[in-house]
Amino acid sequence: MKDVLFLLADLWMIFVGYFFGWRFIRRYGNYLLGLEWMVVATSGSNFLVWSLLGGDQSSVLYGVAYFFDAFSRSVGITLILVMGLMKVTRGYKPSVAVDVGVFALATVAGLFLRHFHGEDPYADNAAFAVAAFYVAVNLVSAVFLAYFAKRLWDAGAKWPAIWTGLVTAAGTTIAIVYDFFPFPFDDASRTFFYTAALATWGTQGFVYFFAYRALHNHNAASSTKPTQEAGASS
């Protein structure tokens, strides 16, 4: 049963990443969020194939899995997420050079930080520093997401604001637990933890898309209202 739940959680994250990633690009022209969502989905796809093939730690897929993991935990669902959401909070429109640069930064971070996966942060100082870095950047992102949730609430999108707060809290919990507090009842493959993590990350992608849409629609309605009022008074 636990293996079935793990597969369902991974398939959920894969679906959300590809489907809503494409919608971010197609509907809103937001390549930062769209491509990052697809990176998460590709990570899930790789993880799924690796698991179905037996989960051999000597497989090249194992190294690829933790490259994607480090990519998103360090820069992807932190800096890239914040920059992408700033399009509806601050009207921020990065240049192509900025888009390419931030993904290049995430790639370099992923290639470097993946080597610390599996090290005991309580026994290795470098591994502890990397694990603490992941938690720190997650917390900084959570502060911005709290601001994002407030913007939603002020715009009248109360349910998207509430769900944004809930999934952000869940994501931060996963980030803290990931390296520092393994479930004592889990198996050697950490099946229960990864099931919870995949389900949470997929739900974050789902909720953040609809929250983004709500604030985008509010901004669009607010920008057309003065034009309509000016037309009516002339």
Side-chain angles (χ1 to χ4, degrees), residues 36 39 66-76 80 103 106-107 110:
E36 176 55 29
V39 166
Y66 291 108
F67 159 73
F68 281 123
D69 183 75
F71 181 108
S72 289
R73 292 176 71 197
S74 62
V75 179
I80 292 175
F103 277 100
T107 300

Side-chain angles (χ1 to χ4, degrees), residues 112-172:
F112 174 71
L113 295 173
R114 71 183 180 89
H115 296 291
F116 296 94
H117 180 81
E119 300 295 332
D120 184 357
Y122 293 108
D124 184 280
N125 289 335
F128 181 88
V130 171
F133 166 74
Y134 286 143
V135 173
V137 292
N138 182 279
L139 290 173
V140 172
S141 303
V143 171
F144 177 84
L145 285 160
Y147 161 73
F148 179 63
K150 183 180 184 302
R151 287 291 303 272
L152 286 162
W153 185 274
D154 292 343
K158 290 185 168 47
W159 279 112
I162 291 169
W163 280 110
T164 294
L166 290 174
V167 297
T168 299
T172 298

